[in-house]
Amino acid sequence: MNHQWEIICNDGFQFMGKMNASISHEIKNVLAIINENAGLMEDFTRMAEKGLPMDPERIKSFARKIQGQVQRADGIVKNMNTFAHSVDEPRKRIDVGELLAFMTTLSKRLASMKEITLTVMPAAMPLTITTTPFLAHHMIWRCLDFAMAVSGPNSTVEITPDKTEGGARIRFKLPTGLIGKPSQALFPSDVENALADVLNGQVRVQQDSGEIVLILPESIDG
Amino acid sequence: MRILLIDDEEELVSTLAERLSFRGIDADWACSGKDALKKIEETPYDIAVVDIKMPKIGGLELRKMMAGKYPDMKFIFMTGHGSEEDFRAGSEAAGAEYYLVKPVDIEELIRKMKEALKK
């Protein structure tokens, strides 16, 4: 394994672990809510057994809450499954808007912990590329992670995809006033440079506009 | 005993508070560290049952902020880790004397509350 792949693999395992931990914490929250609603329903049933009247509306509300949480869990698990299968194919034709929507959904809990909102702007026209899905996810996460690290609480990171002659350009708009801050010197690091290289793309911080710019080719194979 | 439940999942703390009230335990709830600080300032509590990971102010930070002013207030932490073993292996465990893995077993929570108050 050459040095570049060693960097990508080491960070890739961390990326996978971070996402899985975040997903599992979210599922645990859903289970905790279901558990409390089921427990409360049991408490009410015990009271009814002792002769206290039970309001059917209350029971219906528990059922609704549990159903709502089951739907929430279903969405989380669907994303988890998509993420898990992103390693299956070394090459895939993907919609860039969908890719960004997926990654922001996957990162939503981590962003929310930092009080940051991630917003994906729609592409002006259909935008698809052939790439390595897992590496593209990894690269976008690295850009999001840096954008969130340099953005303060209560801020929004706006992500805009554009079609270019050679493929796709993705801009991560950072809050204003970051230019020249020491953290900017850290990006792109060896990891982002290695990922950009294997994706046959480019990544840079655009100092004048305060954006991270990620360029991905129409096809990773040129 | 006066209990404050704190988690950014409102449905979790509100339901847990109601279940505790069925067992004769008076529990309030808050959905953020900031709300919790406000409530504690208004009425000190015996125990805070708090999620370790919340936006802005997490459970351990909340305890740090409260330690000087309310040294007798006990903290029981809730965690979304997979198991107690996973939680103990992580860095946060060192700061948490009492903790519960979600989903919380209410009888275990009550046992921990009693245990914490005895100390």
Side-chain angles (χ1 to χ4, degrees), chain B residues 79-91:
Chain B
T79 169
H81 277 76
S83 65
E84 284 196 24
E85 289 71 28
D86 288 347
F87 179 66
R88 277 202 294 267
S91 58

Side-chain angles (χ1 to χ4, degrees), chain A residues 146-165:
Chain A
F146 177 76
M148 291 194 287
V150 294
S151 305
N154 302 312
S155 60
T156 297
V157 174
E158 199 176 271
I159 307 132
T160 310
D162 299 303
K163 194 173 174 67
T164 63
E165 206 171 297

Side-chain angles (χ1 to χ4, degrees), chain A residues 24-25 28-29 31-33 35-37 39-40 43-44 46-47 58 65 69 72 109 112-113 115, chain B residues 7 9 11-12 15-16 18-19 22-23 53-56 79-82 101-106:
Chain A
S24 68
H25 276 74
K28 279 281 205 171
N29 276 337
L31 292 175
I33 294 169
N35 183 57
E36 294 318 320
N37 275 293
L40 194 51
D43 291 343
F44 270 94
R46 281 196 187 135
M47 298 297 276
R58 206 66 220 276
K65 283 178 181 175
Q69 291 301 321
R72 178 182 168 194
R109 183 179 169 273
S112 152
M113 296 303 290
E115 296 181 280
Chain B
D7 195 302
E9 296 277 356
E11 211 174 311
L12 174 60
T15 315
L16 196 51
E18 197 170 352
R19 292 193 71 201
F22 266 107
R23 288 155 179 81
K53 285 198 169 129
M54 291 188 295
K56 208 165 187 175
T79 169
H81 277 76
V101 172
K102 290 180 185 177
V104 169
D105 175 341
I106 196 156

Side-chain angles (χ1 to χ4, degrees), chain A residues 34-59:
Chain A
I34 291 174
N35 183 57
E36 294 318 320
N37 275 293
L40 194 51
M41 198 151 50
E42 196 182 6
D43 291 343
F44 270 94
T45 310
R46 281 196 187 135
M47 298 297 276
E49 282 168 356
K50 287 177 186 168
L52 283 169
M54 189 160 62
D55 180 6
E57 282 307 313
R58 206 66 220 276
I59 301 299

